[in-house]
Amino acid sequence: MAKIIDGKQISMELKDELKERVAEYRAQGIEITLAVIQVGNDKASSVYVGNKKKACEYIGIHSLSYELEEDTTEEELLELIQKLNGDDRVNGILVQLPLPEHIDEDKVIETIDAKKDVDGFHPMSVGALSIGKKGFISCTPYGIIELLQRSGTEIDGKECVVIGRSNIVGKPMSMLLLRENATVTVAHSHTKNLKEVAKRADILIVAIGRPQFIDHEYVKEGAVVIDVGIHRDDNNKLCGDVNYEDVFPHVSAITPVPGGVGPMTIAMLMKNCVNAVEIQK
């Protein structure tokens, strides 16, 4: 019987641990502050921002909210970021993506002070990860490592396949797995014989962006499967990149959608905020 890796429960455990750390900092007179910037009123973004604020409130992190109009100029946004960069009371700056088309996302990410880049997207954060130095780690892959470790999945020496090569998930995921001594293959839309490649994996991490694309033919018997995707199916029900019902009988452990990777992303953002205190010292 496959084990369901419960991201809700594991993220709650993590948030409770962070709550204690925040209380210890507060006892030393240190208040942790996260600034969240949202441009426009994209519905999905508003839900994510709301969840981040709730997590801050639960853990005891002070949150500053900047809700900007859709027609905010790039220059105005960059000015706000520079102001927050210079504010010693602010530990973390998060700009909710995606941004309106007239704003250059790369420029925005690069303007955030690398010591306040709690999303882990800044080139300096990515560079630090790639050479094994301390820094902020992209929240979704960071959360996947926590899910694997806290669910008792051994990573060391295992064959891992990551399907997807995005800057936010696939690439940092491969580097984190290497850091844990896994043997890593990154597969993507141009990979030949994808089924055969995926079927080698002891741990299969799927971030392909296609609803229910991965069925049991892609999965080795007894593998651990982590599903990063989130979509709506034909019945408007949430689903992932993995065909859960089809794959479930063949795996030793799997993350559900919803309730798997999603809750961990926000928990790791909170962990990055708390870690920011040490990074900024």
Side-chain angles (χ1 to χ4, degrees):
M1 183 71 179
K3 175 181 182 176
I4 297 168
I5 301 174
D6 188 342
K8 281 185 184 173
Q9 185 191 329
I10 293 171
S11 70
M12 205 67 216
E13 287 168 11
L14 185 60
K15 286 193 277 194
D16 285 337
E17 290 166 19
L18 293 170
K19 197 174 184 178
E20 286 180 24
R21 281 179 65 192
V22 170
E24 285 166 15
Y25 277 127
R26 189 168 283 139
Q28 298 166 38
I30 298 167
E31 175 94 56
I32 300 173
T33 299
L34 170 67
V36 181
I37 303 169
Q38 182 181 356
V39 184
N41 52 7
D42 176 79
K43 278 187 182 172
S45 290
S46 297
V47 170
Y48 290 137
V49 166
N51 288 339
K52 285 163 187 173
K53 287 178 190 168
K54 280 182 200 161
C56 283
E57 196 177 331
Y58 181 78
I59 289 163
I61 291 171
H62 179 53
S63 69
L64 301 171
S65 185
Y66 298 88
E67 287 158 11
L68 309 180
E69 296 294 329
E70 184 87 20
D71 61 0
T72 299
T73 67
E74 185 179 287
E75 190 181 1
E76 287 167 331
L77 177 56
L78 297 180
E79 273 177 24
L80 173 58
I81 293 168
Q82 292 287 19
K83 182 182 157 198
L84 294 168
N85 282 343
D87 188 339
D88 291 340
R89 294 167 300 174
V90 174
N91 302 91
I93 301 169
L94 183 149
V95 179
Q96 183 64 40
L97 303 178
L99 289 165
E101 283 183 11
H102 65 278
I103 297 175
D104 183 338
E105 282 187 6
D106 289 340
K107 196 184 281 186
V108 168
I109 289 165
E110 287 167 27
T111 301
I112 297 169
D113 183 339
K115 292 191 188 73
K116 298 187 178 189
D117 166 43
V118 287
D119 256 335
F121 295 162
H122 193 284
M124 283 182 70
S125 302
V126 177
L129 174 61
S130 70
I131 59 173
K133 289 202 167 183
K134 270 191 176 179
F136 295 112
I137 300 167
S138 185
C139 301
T140 298
Y142 198 12
I144 290 167
I145 293 292
E146 285 278 342
L147 276 180
L148 291 169
Q149 290 173 335
R150 289 176 184 244
S151 63
T153 301
E154 181 76 32
I155 304 172
D156 194 311
K158 291 294 172 72
E159 180 128 10
C160 298
V161 175
V162 180
I163 305 181
R165 54 176 168 178
S166 72
N167 290 338
I168 291 172
V169 180
K171 289 176 189 172
M173 189 75 251
S174 65
M175 289 189 279
L176 282 170
L177 289 165
L178 284 170
R179 197 168 79 172
E180 298 297 326
N181 301 318
T183 300
V184 184
T185 300
V186 179
H188 45 79
S189 57
H190 290 248
T191 300
K192 290 182 172 61
N193 306 318
L194 182 59
K195 281 183 184 176
E196 287 81 352
V197 173
K199 212 155 186 159
R200 295 203 309 257
D202 301 310
I203 300 170
L204 180 64
I205 296 167
V206 187
I208 201 168
R210 296 188 197 172
Q212 300 184 322
F213 181 81
I214 298 295
D215 62 20
H216 73 275
E217 291 184 6
Y218 290 81
V219 178
K220 176 183 182 178
E221 287 291 325
V224 174
V225 175
I226 306 289
D227 189 350
V228 184
I230 186 137
H231 314 276
R232 294 232 171 233
D233 66 13
D234 296 339
N235 303 314
N236 204 33
K237 193 178 168 194
L238 286 172
C239 66
D241 288 351
V242 175
N243 185 329
Y244 186 88
E245 304 299 331
D246 186 62
V247 165
F248 187 85
H250 302 274
V251 299
S252 61
I254 189 168
T255 56
V257 177
V261 173
M264 293 302 295
T265 299
I266 290 176
M268 301 318 288
L269 172 67
M270 298 298 109
K271 186 169 183 176
N272 274 346
C273 289
V274 177
N275 289 346
V277 177
E278 293 304 317
I279 287 169
Q280 285 152 21
K281 274 182 183 175

